[in-house]
Amino acid sequence: MSQNRRFGIIKKYYSHRALPLHPATREKRAKKQNVTKETQAAVNRRLRAEKLSRLIIDNFETGDLYITLTCREFMDAEMITKAFNDGFKRRIRDIYKKAGVPAKYISVLENLNGGGRPHAHILLPAVPMKWIEKIKAAWPHGNVEIKLFGGHLRDAEKMADYFTKEKIADQSGRIQPSRNLVRREPKKERVTRADAYNPELVAPKGYRIIKDLSYRTYTAEGYPISIAYIERIEQKTPYGNRREGKG
C-alpha cells in the first residue's frame, strides 16, 4: 500500500523457494521461457519502473510540480550537470526552505549522450503561487515548463515507465532521488494454505482494481504471476460529499 493507503500493488507469484509441490500443479506451468539477455533486461527495467512508481506515489500528491528545464544555448553533459546539480538544485533548496516546504525531489538529466538537446526533469512538492516565479528564476539558462502532477497511480506509472525506458536509460544520467524521500519496502507474505494460489485478481474490501494497469503473465520458469494495481473507493456521504472508503 502507498503511505496514504490510497493505492496499492498486489503481486501473486511462485518464487524459486516456494514452487508447487504436487506434480500435477507443476505441469500446469507454461513452457519454460528462453531467458535471453534482452528478456532479462526487459524484466529488470520493469522492476525498476515498479520500484520508482512506488517511490513517486509514496512521496508526491496531486498538484505537485513536474518541471522540465531546457537550454537556450547548447550545453554539453558536463555543463548541464553542473548547472542543474550545483546551481538549480541549490537555489531550489533555499527557496523551499524559505517557503517552509521540504525540498524533496526525483530528478533525471536526459540526452546527455545523444538523442537530442540535454534537458532536465524534476518532480517537486507544491508551493504557494508566490514562489513559482522564484523557481523559474532559479534556472537562467533557458525555458522552465511547469506541469501539475496528477497524483494518481497511473501518473506515477507513466512517469516511472518513461524514466526507465531503454532509450532514456542509455542516453541519460541516473535517476536522482533526494535523501529525504520516504522509502518503504513492500510487505511479503508466504502463502502455505494451499499448493497453488488463485491467479484471479481480487481487490481487498474498500478497494477496486485498476484494470488498465493490472495484468497476468508468466515468470521465466513458466509459472503464472498476477499483478493487481488497486485504488481506494470513494463513497458518497448522506450530504452529497465524498469520503474515501477505509482500507
Side-chain angles (χ1 to χ4, degrees):
M1 289 292 175
S2 60
Q3 189 179 28
N4 61 12
R5 302 193 67 79
R6 182 183 173 193
F7 301 104
I9 303 174
I10 301 173
K11 299 173 71 174
K12 295 181 179 181
Y13 61 95
Y14 297 107
S15 74
H16 67 282
R17 295 179 181 178
L19 293 175
L21 299 177
H22 197 282
T25 306
R26 282 177 177 259
E27 289 306 315
K28 289 181 180 179
R29 69 178 183 177
K31 184 178 179 180
K32 187 173 181 179
Q33 305 298 303
N34 184 18
V35 183
T36 64
K37 184 177 179 180
E38 290 75 19
T39 301
Q40 189 59 53
V43 171
N44 292 341
R45 188 197 73 80
R46 183 58 245 170
L47 291 174
R48 289 196 302 272
E50 183 184 305
K51 184 176 182 179
L52 180 58
S53 176
R54 293 199 310 266
L55 189 65
I56 292 171
I57 212 67
D58 269 340
N59 288 276
F60 297 95
E61 303 282 347
T62 302
D64 284 343
L65 309 179
Y66 177 58
I67 302 174
T68 300
L69 309 174
T70 57
C71 303
R72 187 178 303 107
E73 298 178 357
F74 178 76
M75 300 176 85
D76 61 24
E78 184 178 353
M79 292 168 64
I80 193 171
T81 299
K82 183 175 178 61
F84 183 56
N85 290 333
D86 298 340
F88 180 76
K89 285 184 180 177
R90 178 178 55 78
R91 298 184 188 105
I92 285 296
R93 292 186 188 97
D94 291 340
I95 291 169
Y96 273 68
K97 184 176 181 180
K98 292 175 181 177
V101 178
K104 58 182 180 179
Y105 62 82
I106 296 175
S107 69
V108 66
L109 284 162
E110 191 175 339
N111 292 345
L112 296 184
N113 303 310
R117 277 182 172 263
H119 59 276
H121 301 287
I122 187 167
L123 182 60
L124 287 160
V127 289
M129 186 59 66
K130 68 177 183 179
W131 299 101
I132 297 298
E133 290 304 317
K134 294 184 182 297
I135 291 175
K136 291 181 177 180
W139 181 253
H141 307 288
N143 187 53
V144 178
E145 180 185 42
I146 300 179
K147 295 181 179 180
L148 299 184
F149 176 58
H152 195 277
L153 187 53
R154 287 191 188 91
D155 301 302
E157 278 284 304
K158 184 177 180 180
M159 187 178 297
D161 191 56
Y162 173 74
F163 281 168
T164 56
K165 279 185 177 178
E166 184 178 354
K167 180 180 177 182
I168 303 299
D170 287 346
Q171 298 172 349
S172 304
R174 289 181 177 273
I175 296 170
Q176 298 178 327
S178 61
R179 294 180 181 180
N180 58 343
L181 293 177
V182 173
R183 289 172 169 82
R184 302 184 310 135
E185 290 298 319
K187 294 181 180 180
K188 295 182 179 181
E189 178 186 359
R190 183 170 180 175
V191 179
T192 58
R193 297 184 296 274
D195 187 51
Y197 68 79
N198 183 349
E200 295 299 323
L201 301 174
V202 180
K205 185 177 180 181
Y207 290 81
R208 64 177 162 228
I209 291 175
I210 307 173
K211 293 183 178 180
D212 57 305
L213 295 181
S214 304
Y215 60 97
R216 286 188 285 175
T217 185
Y218 290 89
T219 66
E221 290 75 25
Y223 288 100
I225 175 171
S226 302
I227 302 176
Y229 289 76
I230 61 174
E231 64 179 333
R232 191 163 52 192
I233 298 171
E234 291 186 347
Q235 300 175 341
K236 290 185 177 180
T237 68
Y239 303 100
N241 297 322
R242 295 175 108 38
R243 64 179 178 83
E244 292 181 336
K246 295 181 180 179

